[in-house]
Amino acid sequence: MTDTEYMSLAVELAKKGCGWVNPNPMVGAVIVKDGQIIGQGYHEKYGALHAERNALASCESSPAGATIYVTLEPCCHYGKTPPCTDAILESGIRRVVIGSRDPNPQVSGKGIAILRSHGIEVTENRLKDECDALNQSFFHYIQKGTPYVVMKYAMTLDGKIATHQGKSQWITGEAARRRVHEDRHRYSAIMVGVGTVLADDPFLTCRMENGRNPLRIICDTSLRTSLKARLVTSTEIAGTLLATAVTDREKHRPYLEAGCDIAVIPEKDGRIDLNCLMRVLGERKIDSILLEGGGTLNWSALQSGIVNRVQAYIAPKLFGGSAKTPVAGSGVDSPQEAFRLGKPTITQLGEDILWESEVLACSQGS
């Protein structure tokens, strides 16, 4: 096998940590000696051993003189676990092949420098694009201190997210809905506006086998969420956070007694300040958010500059009429002011397609 093939195996191992390691990165590692794989591992859970230490622990023979393939630069600082550079040096490994550099300021090339200073051969950027793609959320979070936000919606080919009577179940088919639940498992939180809660009374849980429920965030400036809402009455299943501008502790009390959490966020233009909310969530170690709001919240999120990626599930259907669109608000004044998106990735999901693009330019915000 080649370096590329071994790194590809490390990438697949890293993916096993999806949804469980946040806000840490997904990392996989493979140890090879004399052309044979003698150990492999991945970062399995936040706070648990990193991929390199798991791979070393699994070794069937001495790793002295071996090569380790690791999707992300080994850490060189003490966090939940000791530095992985120490473990590599102690093991006698002679070569390290790395996919991505770690942008964490505590690492960012320092791990590589330590290894090289001890005479270990280091090869960088093997399958870099694939390794980078594992950790978009982590890279954003560790550099910005705020969550990576994915704005997701399902619409018909004529751009409608519901009929003129407000009915939306189901626009897309089973394959697309299954992918949504995989992303609810992947990202730390899911966020909606109070309008969606009042209209649809959703659960917003992950319904894939062995999945992890995200934290459910409601943007509710005036605290209008019903105490009978399923997001309030099901906190034993998944956490619920109400982001509100209401400071009255008595109004908070029944939600707190129901098991909800509350974050008081200042207002901006009559709504909670979404940039402030992102900073608060970052401090709470929420590294990523799946935004499943309606058109009003989607517009506010775009305007505030918090959206990093757009996922549009497009069904081969036409609703017509005056039905709701995925992005409401006042809209831009001219095509030149549009929110620009990058080159898309297009995935076929049954009869539907998933269009994904990074947001390249925002009207304001960071």
Side-chain angles (χ1 to χ4, degrees), residues 177-185 205-208:
R177 298 200 295 274
R178 184 163 54 248
R179 171 60 186 268
V180 170
H181 287 286
E182 290 172 359
D183 281 340
R184 288 184 179 183
H185 168 79
T205 52
C206 171
R207 293 187 286 279
M208 61 175 274

Side-chain angles (χ1 to χ4, degrees), residues 47-116:
L49 291 178
H50 288 185
E52 298 94 323
R53 289 183 178 272
N54 276 330
L56 287 166
S58 76
C59 280
E60 301 168 352
S61 58
S62 171
T67 296
I68 185 169
Y69 297 83
V70 59
T71 56
L72 186 69
E73 177 182 2
C75 65
C76 55
H77 65 287
Y78 282 86
K80 293 284 185 181
T81 59
C84 289
T85 49
D86 287 359
I88 292 171
L89 295 174
E90 292 164 4
S91 72
I93 283 173
R94 301 310 305 158
R95 181 175 180 238
V96 179
V97 181
I98 295 168
S100 301
R101 275 210 179 197
D102 190 340
N104 185 342
Q106 293 182 293
V107 185
S108 194
K110 298 182 182 72
I112 292 170
I114 288 171
L115 295 173
R116 284 177 171 156

Side-chain angles (χ1 to χ4, degrees), residues 285-297:
K285 295 187 177 181
I286 301 299
D287 72 326
S288 51
I289 293 173
L290 188 62
L291 176 60
E292 291 197 23
T296 299
L297 181 57

Side-chain angles (χ1 to χ4, degrees), residues 13-313:
L13 286 168
K15 291 177 182 177
K16 293 183 177 182
C18 179
W20 303 110
V21 300
N22 312 50
N24 280 354
M26 289 184 276
V27 186
V30 176
I31 300 173
V32 178
K33 186 175 182 178
D34 299 327
Q36 299 294 319
I37 295 174
I38 63 169
Q40 53 188 310
Y42 65 97
H43 185 31
E44 298 175 9
K45 186 177 181 181
Y46 177 68
L49 291 178
H50 288 185
E52 298 94 323
R53 289 183 178 272
N54 276 330
L56 287 166
S58 76
C59 280
E60 301 168 352
S61 58
S62 171
T67 296
I68 185 169
Y69 297 83
V70 59
T71 56
L72 186 69
E73 177 182 2
C75 65
C76 55
H77 65 287
Y78 282 86
K80 293 284 185 181
T81 59
C84 289
T85 49
D86 287 359
I88 292 171
L89 295 174
E90 292 164 4
S91 72
I93 283 173
R94 301 310 305 158
R95 181 175 180 238
V96 179
V97 181
I98 295 168
S100 301
R101 275 210 179 197
D102 190 340
N104 185 342
Q106 293 182 293
V107 185
S108 194
K110 298 182 182 72
I112 292 170
I114 288 171
L115 295 173
R116 284 177 171 156
S117 72
H118 285 80
I120 293 178
E121 178 186 351
V122 179
T123 301
E124 295 186 65
N125 300 327
R126 186 66 64 190
L127 284 186
K128 182 179 186 300
D129 289 347
E130 289 85 345
C131 292
D132 286 353
L134 288 169
N135 291 308
Q136 283 179 311
S137 299
F138 170 75
F139 289 172
H140 173 89
Y141 173 72
I142 204 67
Q143 294 177 90
K144 303 288 187 181
T146 57
Y148 180 82
V149 178
V150 179
M151 187 174 81
K152 165 262 169 185
Y153 53 84
M155 69 179 190
T156 60
L157 196 58
D158 57 341
K160 308 299 183 182
I161 60 172
T163 68
H164 70 95
Q165 292 184 337
K167 297 177 181 178
S168 60
Q169 292 186 336
W170 295 104
I171 289 177
T172 53
E174 289 185 9
R177 298 200 295 274
R178 184 163 54 248
R179 171 60 186 268
V180 170
H181 287 286
E182 290 172 359
D183 281 340
R184 288 184 179 183
H185 168 79
R186 171 186 297 270
Y187 298 114
S188 294
I190 183 169
M191 188 165 80
V192 296
V194 66
T196 296
V197 177
L198 294 174
D200 299 336
D201 193 20
F203 263 126
L204 303 182
T205 52
C206 171
R207 293 187 286 279
M208 61 175 274
E209 187 176 358
N210 299 319
R212 178 197 59 82
N213 286 324
L215 173 68
R216 302 167 301 179
I217 302 169
I218 308 171
C219 294
D220 187 356
T221 305
S222 303
L223 211 53
R224 295 188 292 134
T225 298
S226 169
L227 290 168
K228 295 180 180 180
R230 292 194 284 191
L231 293 182
V232 176
T233 61
S234 62
T235 54
E236 75 285 354
I237 297 173
T240 297
L241 171 68
L242 291 117
T244 182
V246 174
T247 59
D248 187 340
R249 292 182 180 274
E250 279 303 304
K251 291 184 178 179
H252 295 177
R253 185 174 54 79
Y255 297 100
L256 296 172
E257 289 176 349
C260 297
D261 194 3
I262 289 181
V264 176
I265 306 296
E267 282 190 47
K268 183 177 181 181
D269 300 325
R271 302 181 186 278
I272 60 169
D273 185 333
L274 291 177
N275 281 289
C276 181
L277 174 59
M278 293 303 108
R279 291 191 292 271
V280 168
L281 294 174
E283 292 169 357
R284 296 184 180 213
K285 295 187 177 181
I286 301 299
D287 72 326
S288 51
I289 293 173
L290 188 62
L291 176 60
E292 291 197 23
T296 299
L297 181 57
N298 286 347
W299 171 250
S300 296
L302 284 168
Q303 272 198 313
S304 68
I306 68 168
V307 180
N308 302 107
R309 188 172 184 84
V310 173
Q311 288 184 335
Y313 291 84

